[in-house]
Amino acid sequence: EIDPREELVKQLLEYKIYKYTGKLGHANGLAYHNKKLLIAPCANYVTVLDMGAKGRRTRIESPVRISGITYYEGEKYIVLANHKNERCRFYVISMKDKVIQESTFVVENTKFADDFTVSQDISYHDGNLYLIMCTTDKKRSSILQIPYKGETGVVKPDLAYLSSKDGGEYESLAFTK
């Protein structure tokens, strides 16, 4: 059995996707599912590279700046809107409709970490959404665990992993099976 990560690298090299790097934007978040690589470039769109179609590139326009993305379920992805110093807003992308819906839910992180105000990236795994936040001086980071089963409105984290003093800035997060 081929490791999915090895398959992705093989496809990237085979289709010479690296030729497009100057046009993809700042890849602040990445998600890969069903031979599609979605890139959240910290702009008002998401770039989709279809590996099954030799790297054909499309864009999904967004009413807000997208700074994080993760696969959710079926043909759906969750995206993180780039909002500083307020509640983090999340939207759902349906690849079927190629539309970013209105704000689906927001996360209040004040229960665990009032000083972590800069959102970095997200990852969904086993019924939980993980949100990386850092302080404005980027000296400390936190990873918030948010139970998420598709609800709308305000959701709250139930667990936080906090870096030590001067622990640095965490920018990305991934899970293995």
Side-chain angles (χ1 to χ4, degrees):
E1 185 176 340
I2 297 175
D3 183 323
R5 291 169 293 187
E6 291 177 17
E7 181 65 21
L8 175 59
V9 170
K10 178 183 168 194
Q11 289 176 0
L12 286 170
L13 294 174
E14 180 181 337
Y15 301 133
K16 301 184 184 346
I17 299 304
Y18 55 84
K19 288 172 69 175
Y20 300 127
T21 56
K23 299 177 184 178
L24 296 177
H26 177 79
N28 213 40
L30 297 172
Y32 180 77
H33 178 72
N34 202 18
K35 294 190 177 185
K36 289 182 177 59
L37 179 64
L38 281 78
I39 302 162
C42 211
N44 286 58
Y45 62 89
V46 171
T47 300
V48 181
L49 297 177
D50 189 338
M51 303 307 191
K54 303 251 184 210
R56 183 182 49 139
R57 187 170 41 122
T58 57
R59 281 177 31 156
I60 300 173
E61 300 298 325
S62 169
V64 294
R65 291 175 58 86
I66 303 297
S67 63
I69 190 165
T70 187
Y71 172 71
Y72 175 49
E73 66 180 15
E75 290 294 311
K76 293 181 180 178
Y77 294 80
I78 298 172
V79 295
L80 166 63
N82 189 20
H83 292 278
K84 292 184 179 182
N85 299 321
E86 63 177 74
R87 290 190 263 186
C88 293
R89 298 184 187 280
F90 295 85
Y91 300 76
V92 176
I93 293 177
S94 168
M95 288 305 294
K96 187 183 231 180
D97 305 326
K98 291 193 169 46
V99 170
I100 295 178
Q101 299 172 355
E102 291 297 317
S103 178
T104 307
F105 62 100
V106 295
V107 172
E108 288 184 345
N109 71 329
T110 55
K111 179 178 175 185
F112 292 106
D114 290 333
D115 55 339
F116 294 94
T117 58
V118 180
S119 56
Q120 294 286 16
D121 199 9
I122 56 175
S123 186
Y124 185 80
H125 181 71
D126 284 346
N128 290 300
L129 181 67
Y130 294 86
L131 168 62
I132 302 173
M133 303 286 289
C134 72
T135 55
T136 52
D137 63 8
K138 299 183 179 177
K139 289 186 176 182
R140 294 186 64 216
S141 294
S142 67
I143 301 171
L144 304 178
Q145 176 180 292
I146 304 140
Y148 184 72
K149 306 281 192 261
E151 60 269 32
T152 58
V154 177
V155 295
K156 294 185 179 186
D158 67 355
L159 187 63
Y161 306 92
L162 305 176
S163 69
S164 60
K165 186 178 179 184
D166 294 327
E169 175 187 17
Y170 302 158
E171 286 203 29
S172 191
L173 171 70
F175 288 92
T176 60
K177 291 184 179 186

